[in-house]
Amino acid sequence: MSVRILALVGSLRAGSHNRQLAEAAVKLAPEGAEVELFEGLVDIPFYNEDIDVEGSVPAAAAKLRAAAQSADAFLLFTPEYNGTIPAVLKNAIDWLSRPYGAGAFGGKPVVVGGTAFGQYGGVWAQDEVRKSVGIAGGKVIEDVKISIPASLTRFAETHPVDDAEVAAQLSEIISRLHGHAGETVAA
C-alpha cells in the first residue's frame, strides 16, 4: 500500500534551507511512500472565518485543503522566526484546522522538523508547530524529530540531500512516519 505524505515548508524563500530539506525528503522517500512538497502557501490569504464559507473558500486555501485531505501523513519543516513559528506555516495550520471538528489533519500522523541558523536548529519553533498541529487535530509523533543547527554554514555549499548525516536522518524519519501512516491507514 502506498502512503502519501504532504510536506509543508514554513519559509517562502526559494533558497530556504528548510525547503531544501523538504526537497531532500521528496528524493529520499522509501518505496511505498510518496512525499509531495506543497507549492502555494504564499497565495493563501490569512485565515478569516468571513471568507471560509462553503462554496466560496479562496482557491488557494481550497487547493491546500484538498492536498491535505488526500494525504495520509504530514511532514512539516519550519525555520525559527523570532523564536517562534513563521506566519505562513501557522496560517496553513489554521486553514487545515477548519471546519472545526472536521479539519484535514483528522488524526493523521505529523512529524515536525527543520533547520535554523542558531545553535539549536529551530527547536522553539518546532515545539510551537507541534503544539498547534496537535490542537488542530494532527497526531504528532513526538519521538520523531530532526533539528539541524547552523544552517547557514552547514548548507552553504551542500544541499541537505548530499549531506550524508542529514540524508540518513531524513530517511529514518520518513520511514518512521511511513510506518505510522501505514498503521493509521490500515486501522
Side-chain angles (χ1 to χ4, degrees):
M1 159 182 30
S2 182
V3 171
R4 190 163 171 274
I5 300 168
L6 185 64
L8 302 177
V9 178
S11 175
L12 299 177
R13 192 171 61 83
S16 157
H17 296 123
N18 282 285
R19 180 178 178 80
Q20 290 177 1
L21 282 176
E23 292 167 352
V26 169
K27 292 179 182 175
L28 296 169
E31 187 173 328
E34 173 195 355
V35 177
E36 175 195 345
L37 174 55
F38 183 82
E39 302 287 354
L41 291 184
V42 68
D43 300 319
I44 301 171
F46 282 113
Y47 185 79
N48 176 344
E49 280 188 83
D50 292 341
I51 62 173
D52 187 8
V53 178
E54 191 172 336
S56 63
V57 171
K63 178 182 170 192
L64 172 64
R65 282 182 174 164
Q69 286 291 351
S70 66
D72 300 307
F74 298 89
L75 186 53
L76 279 56
F77 292 99
T78 186
E80 190 168 271
Y81 291 176
N82 299 311
T84 194
I85 307 172
V88 68
L89 187 54
K90 178 62 169 75
N91 189 48
I93 293 167
D94 290 345
W95 276 102
L96 294 176
S97 73
R98 300 289 193 264
Y100 182 77
F105 287 114
K108 297 174 185 177
V110 180
V111 168
V112 178
T115 186
F117 176 67
Q119 65 182 342
Y120 301 111
V123 295
W124 288 349
Q126 293 167 30
D127 287 343
E128 291 295 318
V129 171
R130 285 183 194 95
K131 179 177 112 180
S132 185
V133 168
I135 291 169
K139 180 183 172 190
V140 177
I141 311 302
E142 294 287 347
D143 66 336
V144 181
K145 302 175 181 180
I146 184 169
S147 301
I148 304 165
S151 61
L152 291 180
T153 53
R154 180 153 194 170
F155 302 125
E157 297 182 22
T158 304
H159 192 285
V161 78
D162 298 321
D163 181 310
E165 180 184 6
V166 171
Q169 289 177 345
L170 275 173
S171 293
E172 173 67 18
I173 67 166
I174 296 165
S175 291
R176 292 191 58 201
L177 179 58
H178 177 257
H180 282 278
E183 291 171 13
T184 302
V185 170

